[in-house]
Structure formats: C-alpha cells, structure tokens
C-alpha cells in the first residue's frame, strides 16, 4: 500500500454520509481514475455500490458482510476487501476507520 498519492487534484467539498458518520474527499488522477479518502466513525451502516470497489484500510477495525452473504468478516488497518459493482455491503466499524476507496473500472 502506498503512503501518498502524487500529482492529483482533490475536490475541496467533503462527501458527508449517514449524518456525518462517514466523511471523505474525492481524489482525481490525471488518467481519469478516482478514489475517495476518508473516515468512518464507529457505527453500523449499509453502503450501496455502483462500480466495483476495493476498500484499503489504513487504520481501525471493522466487520463487513457482502450482499447475499450471512457471514461477517473482520478487517483492520493494513488489510483490504473488495465489493462487487451494483451491490451493497454492511459495515460495523469497531474503531474509527481510516480508508481509501479505489473505484475499479468495469
């Protein structure tokens, strides 16, 4: 996992979801790709996806359950998980989660 992104543009306006329980900023790359960098405060939330996503965790702990699955899986800083496009996932953040969301071209 890289520790920084170089030569990017950042959208100043924050993305606020779930009454401020998730806060992120959009990072735009010269090749047209997009990522978001943010935090999810301790909570239980459901996210819907359009494009496939890779969630890279910098710090914190969470449990996730992908749409259609019954089993929860645990993740923490230094790990990542993938979510299919046009789907959803439940997330329970056990500690404030510092993350990067990579949007994968479909």
């Amino acid at each position: 996992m890289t520790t920084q992104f170089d030569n990017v543009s950042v959208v100043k306006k924050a993305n606020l979801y779930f009454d401020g329980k998730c806060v992120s900023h959009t990072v735009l790359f010269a090749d047209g790709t997009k990522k978001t960098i943010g935090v999810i405060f301790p909570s239980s939330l459901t996210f819907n996806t359009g494009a496939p996503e890779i969630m890279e965790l910098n710090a914190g702990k969470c449990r996730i359950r992908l749409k259609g699955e019954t089993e929860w899986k645990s993740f923490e800083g230094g790990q990542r998980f993938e979510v299919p496009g046009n789907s959803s996932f439940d997330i329970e953040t056990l500690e404030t989660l510092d993350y990067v969301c990579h949007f994968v071209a479909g």
Side-chain angles (χ1 to χ4, degrees), residues 9-17 23-27 36-37:
S9 296
V10 177
V11 178
K12 289 186 344 182
K13 184 172 172 34
N15 306 305
L16 299 173
Y17 302 103
V23 181
S24 69
H25 281 86
T26 302
V27 180
T36 56
I37 297 176

Side-chain angles (χ1 to χ4, degrees), residues 41-57:
F41 296 101
S43 55
S44 294
L45 308 170
T46 299
F47 284 89
N48 295 307
T49 62
E53 299 178 4
I54 297 171
M55 291 288 289
E56 176 185 324
L57 308 181

Side-chain angles (χ1 to χ4, degrees), residues 5 23-27 35-39 58 98-101:
F5 298 120
V23 181
S24 69
H25 281 86
T26 302
V27 180
K35 301 181 189 311
T36 56
I37 297 176
V39 293
N58 296 315
D98 174 6
Y99 73 90
V100 177
C101 180

Side-chain angles (χ1 to χ4, degrees), residues 4 13 17 23 28 37 54 56 61 63-66 73 83-84 93:
Q4 70 182 42
K13 184 172 172 34
Y17 302 103
V23 181
L28 305 169
I37 297 176
I54 297 171
E56 176 185 324
K61 293 182 181 179
R63 297 183 332 135
I64 67 135
R65 181 177 56 198
L66 297 175
K73 296 178 184 167
V83 183
T93 51

